[in-house]
Structures are given as structure tokens and as C-alpha cells.
Amino acid sequence: LRCAPLGRVVRGAAVLRLAGRCADTEFSATCRPLEGSALDPLEEFEKCVAGGYARVSRVDAWRREGFGRAELSALVGLPAEVGAIERNGSARPMHGAWASSHGGGSFWAAVLAAARSAGWTSALGGQWHWTERSCIGGKAQLLICRRIAWVFSMEGPAGRTGPVSDQGNLIPWSVSTDVFQHLYLTR
């Protein structure tokens, strides 16, 4: 994917990243504060993903407000839901995807702690699913792509917990999960 990640990262702020691979499926997750701007980072990503030259399917997308256990479960469970495509064409679930990645448990514990204690007042989320052509590594392939992202905003005085900008405003933060399946067309 040639799009920038959600929003611009705040300089000097902590960014948590986690990535792994199982068979021909790559998965990653990111949690970071965003630089405050008038632009909606979910809308920015949606515009970017809709305009790829190698797209072979339409982009299925949904937007949602509010964040709870079901939404956290969808974020964490995305690699297991998508699964890995084996060489013989069968699919198998990746139940231990995050556990097999170095620091997987710590990453999601930090995200859960942030969701519980950051003092956010609104949560907007999005999910995208699309397919595109690729020739990464010199092999013709289809990339089956899925992304779930949430942006958490904090309103009100800067006395609340959370990262603060130079102007004293609380900085929104995001968490996202990406899964890319490589379906090779040639061997």
C-alpha cells in the first residue's frame, strides 16, 4: 500500500508498532498520537485507498462511532479472522498471530491501558477491505488487504490525561491493524 498511515505522527511522542508474518500473510498493528489538524485521518486514508492504480476490486468500507469490547476484539482478532493461505490454496486461521510476534502481548496490554486511561471522549472507526495486483519480489500476485482503524479524541480542558500539543490542546491518538495476504499467481 502506497498510502501514508493515519495522520501525521507527533514529533517526540511514543509510537508503538508490532508486525509479524505467517505463511504468505503479513499482519501489523500501530498505536500512536496524531498531530491535531482539521482533517479527519480516517477520511484521508479512505481517499488514498480508493485511488490505487493496481486495484482489482472495489473498496468495501464502513464507519462506526463508539468503542467497546466488540471493537477491541475485532482489532485484535483480525489476523485470526483473515487467516493464512497455504500453498495448496486452503486457508487456515492464525489464532496465535500476536502471541507469536515479539512483544505482542505487551503491545495489546499497552493499547488496552491507553483505551482505559487516556480520557478520550469520542471514538471514530473505519474498516476497509480491497484487493490489488502486485509484483513484489518479481512474482505476480494478488494482495488481499484489510484494515481496521480507530481515532480517539479528547475534548475539553488540557487538564485531562493524554498527550498535549504546544498549544495545550489534547492530541488525538489512533490504533490500527492491517493484514495483507499474498496470493501468488505464479510459482
Short mmCIF file of all heavy atoms in Angstrom, two decimals, residues 129-184:
data_model
loop_
_atom_site.label_atom_id
_atom_site.label_comp_id
_atom_site.label_asym_id
_atom_site.label_seq_id
_atom_site.Cartn_x
_atom_site.Cartn_y
_atom_site.Cartn_z
N HIS A 129 -11.62 -3.12 3.07
CA HIS A 129 -11.25 -4.42 2.51
C HIS A 129 -11.17 -4.24 1.00
O HIS A 129 -12.12 -3.76 0.39
CB HIS A 129 -12.32 -5.45 2.90
CG HIS A 129 -12.03 -6.83 2.41
ND1 HIS A 129 -13.00 -7.73 2.13
CD2 HIS A 129 -10.87 -7.46 2.15
CE1 HIS A 129 -12.46 -8.86 1.72
NE2 HIS A 129 -11.17 -8.71 1.72
N TRP A 130 -10.04 -4.60 0.41
CA TRP A 130 -9.86 -4.45 -1.03
C TRP A 130 -8.82 -5.44 -1.52
O TRP A 130 -8.10 -6.06 -0.74
CB TRP A 130 -9.47 -3.02 -1.39
CG TRP A 130 -8.07 -2.63 -1.01
CD1 TRP A 130 -6.96 -2.65 -1.82
CD2 TRP A 130 -7.60 -2.20 0.28
NE1 TRP A 130 -5.86 -2.24 -1.12
CE2 TRP A 130 -6.23 -1.96 0.18
CE3 TRP A 130 -8.22 -1.99 1.51
CZ2 TRP A 130 -5.45 -1.53 1.25
CZ3 TRP A 130 -7.45 -1.57 2.58
CH2 TRP A 130 -6.09 -1.33 2.44
N THR A 131 -8.72 -5.58 -2.85
CA THR A 131 -7.74 -6.46 -3.49
C THR A 131 -6.99 -5.64 -4.53
O THR A 131 -7.58 -4.82 -5.22
CB THR A 131 -8.45 -7.64 -4.17
OG1 THR A 131 -9.30 -8.28 -3.23
CG2 THR A 131 -7.45 -8.65 -4.70
N GLU A 132 -5.68 -5.88 -4.64
CA GLU A 132 -4.89 -5.18 -5.65
C GLU A 132 -3.82 -6.10 -6.22
O GLU A 132 -3.45 -7.10 -5.61
CB GLU A 132 -4.27 -3.90 -5.10
CG GLU A 132 -3.36 -4.07 -3.93
CD GLU A 132 -2.91 -2.73 -3.36
OE1 GLU A 132 -3.73 -1.86 -3.09
OE2 GLU A 132 -1.68 -2.58 -3.20
N ARG A 133 -3.36 -5.76 -7.43
CA ARG A 133 -2.26 -6.50 -8.08
C ARG A 133 -0.93 -6.06 -7.50
O ARG A 133 -0.78 -4.93 -7.06
CB ARG A 133 -2.20 -6.20 -9.58
CG ARG A 133 -3.37 -6.51 -10.38
CD ARG A 133 -3.09 -6.30 -11.88
NE ARG A 133 -2.52 -5.01 -12.23
CZ ARG A 133 -3.22 -3.95 -12.61
NH1 ARG A 133 -4.52 -4.01 -12.66
NH2 ARG A 133 -2.63 -2.84 -12.94
N SER A 134 0.04 -6.96 -7.57
CA SER A 134 1.38 -6.62 -7.12
C SER A 134 2.39 -7.53 -7.81
O SER A 134 2.04 -8.60 -8.31
CB SER A 134 1.48 -6.81 -5.59
OG SER A 134 2.79 -6.59 -5.16
N CYS A 135 3.63 -7.09 -7.83
CA CYS A 135 4.72 -7.95 -8.32
C CYS A 135 5.91 -7.85 -7.36
O CYS A 135 7.06 -7.86 -7.77
CB CYS A 135 5.11 -7.58 -9.74
SG CYS A 135 5.70 -5.91 -9.92
N ILE A 136 5.61 -7.76 -6.07
CA ILE A 136 6.65 -7.70 -5.04
C ILE A 136 7.52 -8.95 -5.15
O ILE A 136 7.01 -10.07 -5.25
CB ILE A 136 6.02 -7.60 -3.64
CG1 ILE A 136 5.24 -6.30 -3.52
CG2 ILE A 136 7.08 -7.71 -2.56
CD1 ILE A 136 4.43 -6.20 -2.24
N GLY A 137 8.80 -8.79 -5.15
CA GLY A 137 9.72 -9.92 -5.25
C GLY A 137 9.75 -10.55 -6.62
O GLY A 137 10.23 -11.68 -6.78
N GLY A 138 9.22 -9.87 -7.65
CA GLY A 138 9.27 -10.40 -9.01
C GLY A 138 8.25 -11.48 -9.29
O GLY A 138 8.33 -12.15 -10.32
N LYS A 139 7.27 -11.68 -8.39
CA LYS A 139 6.25 -12.70 -8.60
C LYS A 139 4.88 -12.03 -8.74
O LYS A 139 4.52 -11.18 -7.93
CB LYS A 139 6.20 -13.67 -7.42
CG LYS A 139 7.43 -14.52 -7.28
CD LYS A 139 7.27 -15.50 -6.14
CE LYS A 139 8.49 -16.38 -6.02
NZ LYS A 139 8.34 -17.34 -4.93
N ALA A 140 4.13 -12.44 -9.75
CA ALA A 140 2.77 -11.92 -9.93
C ALA A 140 1.91 -12.42 -8.77
O ALA A 140 1.93 -13.60 -8.44
CB ALA A 140 2.20 -12.37 -11.26
N GLN A 141 1.18 -11.50 -8.16
CA GLN A 141 0.36 -11.88 -7.02
C GLN A 141 -0.80 -10.92 -6.84
O GLN A 141 -0.79 -9.81 -7.37
CB GLN A 141 1.21 -11.92 -5.75
CG GLN A 141 1.88 -10.60 -5.43
CD GLN A 141 2.89 -10.72 -4.33
OE1 GLN A 141 2.52 -10.95 -3.19
NE2 GLN A 141 4.16 -10.57 -4.65
N LEU A 142 -1.77 -11.37 -6.09
CA LEU A 142 -2.85 -10.52 -5.62
C LEU A 142 -2.61 -10.26 -4.15
O LEU A 142 -2.21 -11.16 -3.41
CB LEU A 142 -4.21 -11.20 -5.78
CG LEU A 142 -4.76 -11.34 -7.19
CD1 LEU A 142 -6.07 -12.12 -7.15
CD2 LEU A 142 -4.98 -9.99 -7.82
N LEU A 143 -2.82 -9.03 -3.72
CA LEU A 143 -2.78 -8.69 -2.31
C LEU A 143 -4.22 -8.52 -1.85
O LEU A 143 -4.96 -7.71 -2.40
CB LEU A 143 -2.01 -7.39 -2.06
CG LEU A 143 -0.52 -7.41 -2.30
CD1 LEU A 143 0.06 -6.01 -2.06
CD2 LEU A 143 0.16 -8.41 -1.41
N ILE A 144 -4.62 -9.31 -0.88
CA ILE A 144 -5.94 -9.19 -0.28
C ILE A 144 -5.72 -8.40 1.01
O ILE A 144 -5.04 -8.87 1.92
CB ILE A 144 -6.56 -10.56 -0.01
CG1 ILE A 144 -6.62 -11.34 -1.33
CG2 ILE A 144 -7.93 -10.43 0.63
CD1 ILE A 144 -6.87 -12.82 -1.17
N CYS A 145 -6.23 -7.18 1.05
CA CYS A 145 -5.89 -6.22 2.10
C CYS A 145 -7.08 -5.92 2.99
O CYS A 145 -8.19 -5.72 2.49
CB CYS A 145 -5.39 -4.92 1.48
SG CYS A 145 -4.15 -5.14 0.21
N ARG A 146 -6.82 -5.86 4.30
CA ARG A 146 -7.85 -5.44 5.26
C ARG A 146 -7.22 -4.52 6.27
O ARG A 146 -6.08 -4.72 6.69
CB ARG A 146 -8.43 -6.66 5.97
CG ARG A 146 -9.23 -7.47 4.97
CD ARG A 146 -10.05 -8.52 5.56
NE ARG A 146 -11.10 -8.02 6.42
CZ ARG A 146 -11.94 -8.84 7.05
NH1 ARG A 146 -11.83 -10.12 6.89
NH2 ARG A 146 -12.87 -8.35 7.83
N ARG A 147 -7.97 -3.50 6.67
CA ARG A 147 -7.50 -2.55 7.69
C ARG A 147 -8.66 -2.16 8.58
O ARG A 147 -9.76 -1.90 8.12
CB ARG A 147 -6.93 -1.30 7.04
CG ARG A 147 -6.63 -0.23 8.07
CD ARG A 147 -5.94 0.94 7.51
NE ARG A 147 -4.74 1.08 8.34
CZ ARG A 147 -3.90 2.05 8.23
NH1 ARG A 147 -4.02 2.95 7.32
NH2 ARG A 147 -2.87 2.11 9.03
N ILE A 148 -8.38 -2.13 9.88
CA ILE A 148 -9.31 -1.59 10.86
C ILE A 148 -8.55 -0.49 11.59
O ILE A 148 -7.41 -0.70 12.00
CB ILE A 148 -9.79 -2.66 11.86
CG1 ILE A 148 -10.57 -3.76 11.16
CG2 ILE A 148 -10.65 -2.01 12.95
CD1 ILE A 148 -11.02 -4.88 12.08
N ALA A 149 -9.17 0.67 11.74
CA ALA A 149 -8.51 1.79 12.41
C ALA A 149 -9.52 2.55 13.27
O ALA A 149 -10.68 2.67 12.91
CB ALA A 149 -7.89 2.73 11.39
N TRP A 150 -9.02 3.06 14.38
CA TRP A 150 -9.83 3.88 15.30
C TRP A 150 -9.06 5.13 15.66
O TRP A 150 -7.84 5.08 15.86
CB TRP A 150 -10.16 3.10 16.58
CG TRP A 150 -11.22 2.08 16.33
CD1 TRP A 150 -11.02 0.79 15.93
CD2 TRP A 150 -12.62 2.28 16.41
NE1 TRP A 150 -12.23 0.18 15.75
CE2 TRP A 150 -13.22 1.06 16.06
CE3 TRP A 150 -13.42 3.36 16.76
CZ2 TRP A 150 -14.61 0.90 16.04
CZ3 TRP A 150 -14.79 3.20 16.75
CH2 TRP A 150 -15.37 1.97 16.39
N VAL A 151 -9.76 6.25 15.73
CA VAL A 151 -9.17 7.51 16.17
C VAL A 151 -9.93 7.94 17.43
O VAL A 151 -11.16 8.01 17.42
CB VAL A 151 -9.28 8.61 15.09
CG1 VAL A 151 -8.79 9.94 15.62
CG2 VAL A 151 -8.50 8.20 13.85
N PHE A 152 -9.19 8.19 18.48
CA PHE A 152 -9.76 8.60 19.77
C PHE A 152 -9.47 10.07 19.99
O PHE A 152 -8.33 10.50 19.85
CB PHE A 152 -9.15 7.78 20.90
CG PHE A 152 -9.42 6.31 20.77
CD1 PHE A 152 -8.54 5.49 20.07
CD2 PHE A 152 -10.55 5.75 21.32
CE1 PHE A 152 -8.80 4.14 19.94
CE2 PHE A 152 -10.81 4.40 21.19
CZ PHE A 152 -9.94 3.59 20.49
N SER A 153 -10.48 10.84 20.33
CA SER A 153 -10.33 12.28 20.55
C SER A 153 -10.67 12.62 21.98
O SER A 153 -11.52 11.99 22.60
CB SER A 153 -11.26 13.07 19.62
OG SER A 153 -10.97 12.78 18.29
N MET A 154 -10.00 13.63 22.46
CA MET A 154 -10.24 14.12 23.81
C MET A 154 -10.67 15.57 23.72
O MET A 154 -9.99 16.38 23.12
CB MET A 154 -8.98 14.00 24.65
CG MET A 154 -8.63 12.55 24.89
SD MET A 154 -6.93 12.12 24.97
CE MET A 154 -6.22 12.15 23.43
N GLU A 155 -11.83 15.88 24.26
CA GLU A 155 -12.34 17.24 24.21
C GLU A 155 -12.28 17.85 25.59
O GLU A 155 -12.23 17.15 26.59
CB GLU A 155 -13.77 17.23 23.70
CG GLU A 155 -13.88 16.68 22.29
CD GLU A 155 -15.31 16.46 21.87
OE1 GLU A 155 -16.23 16.74 22.65
OE2 GLU A 155 -15.49 15.98 20.74
N GLY A 156 -12.30 19.16 25.64
CA GLY A 156 -12.32 19.83 26.93
C GLY A 156 -10.96 20.36 27.32
O GLY A 156 -10.04 20.43 26.51
N PRO A 157 -10.78 20.75 28.58
CA PRO A 157 -9.54 21.37 29.02
C PRO A 157 -8.37 20.40 29.00
O PRO A 157 -8.54 19.20 29.09
CB PRO A 157 -9.86 21.82 30.45
CG PRO A 157 -10.96 20.91 30.88
CD PRO A 157 -11.75 20.59 29.65
N ALA A 158 -7.18 20.96 28.89
CA ALA A 158 -5.98 20.15 28.82
C ALA A 158 -5.61 19.55 30.17
O ALA A 158 -4.58 18.92 30.30
CB ALA A 158 -4.81 20.98 28.28
N GLY A 159 -6.43 19.70 31.16
CA GLY A 159 -6.17 19.11 32.46
C GLY A 159 -6.38 17.60 32.48
O GLY A 159 -5.97 16.92 33.40
N ARG A 160 -7.01 17.07 31.43
CA ARG A 160 -7.21 15.63 31.34
C ARG A 160 -5.91 14.93 31.03
O ARG A 160 -4.97 15.54 30.53
CB ARG A 160 -8.19 15.33 30.22
CG ARG A 160 -9.58 15.73 30.51
CD ARG A 160 -10.42 15.03 29.49
NE ARG A 160 -11.63 14.59 30.12
CZ ARG A 160 -12.82 14.71 29.56
NH1 ARG A 160 -12.92 15.23 28.37
NH2 ARG A 160 -13.88 14.30 30.18
N THR A 161 -5.88 13.63 31.25
CA THR A 161 -4.69 12.86 30.92
C THR A 161 -4.59 12.69 29.42
O THR A 161 -5.60 12.74 28.71
CB THR A 161 -4.73 11.46 31.57
OG1 THR A 161 -5.90 10.80 31.12
CG2 THR A 161 -4.73 11.58 33.07
N GLY A 162 -3.38 12.48 28.92
CA GLY A 162 -3.17 12.28 27.49
C GLY A 162 -2.10 13.22 26.98
O GLY A 162 -1.71 14.17 27.65
N PRO A 163 -1.57 12.95 25.78
CA PRO A 163 -0.54 13.82 25.19
C PRO A 163 -1.08 15.22 24.92
O PRO A 163 -2.23 15.38 24.54
CB PRO A 163 -0.16 13.11 23.89
CG PRO A 163 -0.98 11.89 23.81
CD PRO A 163 -1.94 11.84 24.93
N VAL A 164 -0.25 16.23 25.12
CA VAL A 164 -0.67 17.62 24.97
C VAL A 164 0.19 18.29 23.89
O VAL A 164 1.40 18.11 23.85
CB VAL A 164 -0.53 18.38 26.31
CG1 VAL A 164 -0.94 19.83 26.15
CG2 VAL A 164 -1.36 17.70 27.39
N SER A 165 -0.45 19.09 23.02
CA SER A 165 0.28 19.80 21.97
C SER A 165 0.90 21.07 22.54
O SER A 165 0.68 21.42 23.70
CB SER A 165 -0.68 20.17 20.83
OG SER A 165 -1.56 21.19 21.26
N ASP A 166 1.66 21.78 21.69
CA ASP A 166 2.29 23.03 22.12
C ASP A 166 1.27 24.08 22.54
O ASP A 166 1.54 24.93 23.36
CB ASP A 166 3.14 23.61 20.97
CG ASP A 166 4.31 22.70 20.64
OD1 ASP A 166 4.70 21.89 21.51
OD2 ASP A 166 4.81 22.80 19.52
N GLN A 167 0.05 24.01 21.96
CA GLN A 167 -0.98 24.97 22.30
C GLN A 167 -1.77 24.57 23.55
O GLN A 167 -2.69 25.25 23.94
CB GLN A 167 -1.98 25.13 21.14
CG GLN A 167 -1.38 25.73 19.88
CD GLN A 167 -0.64 24.69 19.05
OE1 GLN A 167 -0.91 23.49 19.14
NE2 GLN A 167 0.31 25.13 18.26
N GLY A 168 -1.45 23.45 24.17
CA GLY A 168 -2.14 23.00 25.37
C GLY A 168 -3.38 22.16 25.09
O GLY A 168 -4.10 21.79 26.00
N ASN A 169 -3.64 21.85 23.82
CA ASN A 169 -4.78 21.01 23.47
C ASN A 169 -4.40 19.54 23.57
O ASN A 169 -3.26 19.17 23.30
CB ASN A 169 -5.25 21.29 22.03
CG ASN A 169 -5.64 22.73 21.85
OD1 ASN A 169 -6.20 23.34 22.75
ND2 ASN A 169 -5.35 23.28 20.69
N LEU A 170 -5.36 18.71 23.91
CA LEU A 170 -5.10 17.27 23.95
C LEU A 170 -5.01 16.74 22.52
O LEU A 170 -5.76 17.15 21.65
CB LEU A 170 -6.20 16.56 24.73
CG LEU A 170 -6.14 16.83 26.24
CD1 LEU A 170 -7.42 16.36 26.89
CD2 LEU A 170 -4.95 16.16 26.86
N ILE A 171 -4.09 15.82 22.29
CA ILE A 171 -3.81 15.30 20.96
C ILE A 171 -4.60 14.01 20.75
O ILE A 171 -4.58 13.12 21.60
CB ILE A 171 -2.30 15.01 20.81
CG1 ILE A 171 -1.53 16.32 20.96
CG2 ILE A 171 -2.00 14.33 19.49
CD1 ILE A 171 -0.04 16.12 21.07
N PRO A 172 -5.32 13.89 19.62
CA PRO A 172 -6.00 12.62 19.34
C PRO A 172 -4.97 11.52 19.08
O PRO A 172 -3.83 11.80 18.73
CB PRO A 172 -6.82 12.93 18.09
CG PRO A 172 -6.16 14.10 17.47
CD PRO A 172 -5.49 14.86 18.57
N TRP A 173 -5.36 10.27 19.27
CA TRP A 173 -4.46 9.15 19.01
C TRP A 173 -5.22 8.08 18.26
O TRP A 173 -6.44 8.07 18.23
CB TRP A 173 -3.83 8.62 20.29
CG TRP A 173 -4.81 8.17 21.35
CD1 TRP A 173 -5.51 8.96 22.20
CD2 TRP A 173 -5.16 6.82 21.65
NE1 TRP A 173 -6.29 8.18 23.01
CE2 TRP A 173 -6.10 6.88 22.70
CE3 TRP A 173 -4.78 5.59 21.14
CZ2 TRP A 173 -6.66 5.73 23.26
CZ3 TRP A 173 -5.35 4.46 21.69
CH2 TRP A 173 -6.26 4.53 22.74
N SER A 174 -4.48 7.20 17.60
CA SER A 174 -5.11 6.17 16.79
C SER A 174 -4.50 4.81 17.07
O SER A 174 -3.36 4.70 17.53
CB SER A 174 -4.97 6.48 15.30
OG SER A 174 -3.66 6.20 14.86
N VAL A 175 -5.26 3.79 16.78
CA VAL A 175 -4.77 2.42 16.80
C VAL A 175 -5.33 1.75 15.54
O VAL A 175 -6.47 1.98 15.16
CB VAL A 175 -5.18 1.67 18.10
CG1 VAL A 175 -6.69 1.59 18.24
CG2 VAL A 175 -4.54 0.30 18.17
N SER A 176 -4.47 0.99 14.85
CA SER A 176 -4.91 0.34 13.61
C SER A 176 -4.27 -1.03 13.48
O SER A 176 -3.20 -1.29 14.02
CB SER A 176 -4.56 1.20 12.39
OG SER A 176 -3.16 1.36 12.29
N THR A 177 -4.95 -1.90 12.75
CA THR A 177 -4.46 -3.24 12.44
C THR A 177 -4.57 -3.42 10.93
O THR A 177 -5.60 -3.09 10.33
CB THR A 177 -5.31 -4.31 13.14
OG1 THR A 177 -5.29 -4.09 14.54
CG2 THR A 177 -4.76 -5.70 12.88
N ASP A 178 -3.53 -3.95 10.31
CA ASP A 178 -3.50 -4.21 8.87
C ASP A 178 -3.15 -5.68 8.65
O ASP A 178 -2.29 -6.23 9.34
CB ASP A 178 -2.44 -3.37 8.18
CG ASP A 178 -2.71 -1.88 8.32
OD1 ASP A 178 -3.65 -1.42 7.68
OD2 ASP A 178 -1.97 -1.22 9.07
N VAL A 179 -3.80 -6.30 7.66
CA VAL A 179 -3.48 -7.67 7.26
C VAL A 179 -3.41 -7.70 5.73
O VAL A 179 -4.32 -7.20 5.06
CB VAL A 179 -4.53 -8.69 7.76
CG1 VAL A 179 -4.21 -10.08 7.24
CG2 VAL A 179 -4.59 -8.70 9.28
N PHE A 180 -2.32 -8.26 5.19
CA PHE A 180 -2.14 -8.39 3.75
C PHE A 180 -1.85 -9.85 3.43
O PHE A 180 -0.84 -10.39 3.88
CB PHE A 180 -0.97 -7.53 3.25
CG PHE A 180 -1.14 -6.07 3.55
CD1 PHE A 180 -0.42 -5.47 4.56
CD2 PHE A 180 -2.03 -5.30 2.81
CE1 PHE A 180 -0.59 -4.12 4.85
CE2 PHE A 180 -2.19 -3.96 3.08
CZ PHE A 180 -1.47 -3.36 4.10
N GLN A 181 -2.73 -10.48 2.66
CA GLN A 181 -2.50 -11.84 2.20
C GLN A 181 -1.90 -11.78 0.81
O GLN A 181 -2.41 -11.05 -0.05
CB GLN A 181 -3.80 -12.62 2.13
CG GLN A 181 -4.43 -12.94 3.46
CD GLN A 181 -5.78 -13.61 3.27
OE1 GLN A 181 -6.62 -13.10 2.54
NE2 GLN A 181 -5.97 -14.71 3.95
N HIS A 182 -0.84 -12.53 0.58
CA HIS A 182 -0.21 -12.62 -0.74
C HIS A 182 -0.70 -13.89 -1.40
O HIS A 182 -0.39 -14.99 -0.93
CB HIS A 182 1.32 -12.65 -0.62
CG HIS A 182 1.89 -11.42 0.01
ND1 HIS A 182 2.43 -10.40 -0.72
CD2 HIS A 182 2.01 -11.06 1.31
CE1 HIS A 182 2.86 -9.47 0.09
NE2 HIS A 182 2.61 -9.84 1.33
N LEU A 183 -1.46 -13.76 -2.47
CA LEU A 183 -1.94 -14.91 -3.21
C LEU A 183 -1.14 -14.95 -4.52
O LEU A 183 -1.37 -14.14 -5.42
CB LEU A 183 -3.43 -14.79 -3.50
CG LEU A 183 -4.10 -15.92 -4.26
CD1 LEU A 183 -3.94 -17.25 -3.51
CD2 LEU A 183 -5.56 -15.62 -4.49
N TYR A 184 -0.13 -15.85 -4.59
CA TYR A 184 0.76 -15.88 -5.75
C TYR A 184 0.07 -16.50 -6.95
O TYR A 184 -0.55 -17.57 -6.85
CB TYR A 184 2.04 -16.64 -5.41
CG TYR A 184 2.87 -15.91 -4.38
CD1 TYR A 184 2.82 -16.27 -3.04
CD2 TYR A 184 3.66 -14.85 -4.75
CE1 TYR A 184 3.56 -15.56 -2.09
CE2 TYR A 184 4.41 -14.13 -3.82
CZ TYR A 184 4.35 -14.50 -2.50
OH TYR A 184 5.07 -13.81 -1.56
#
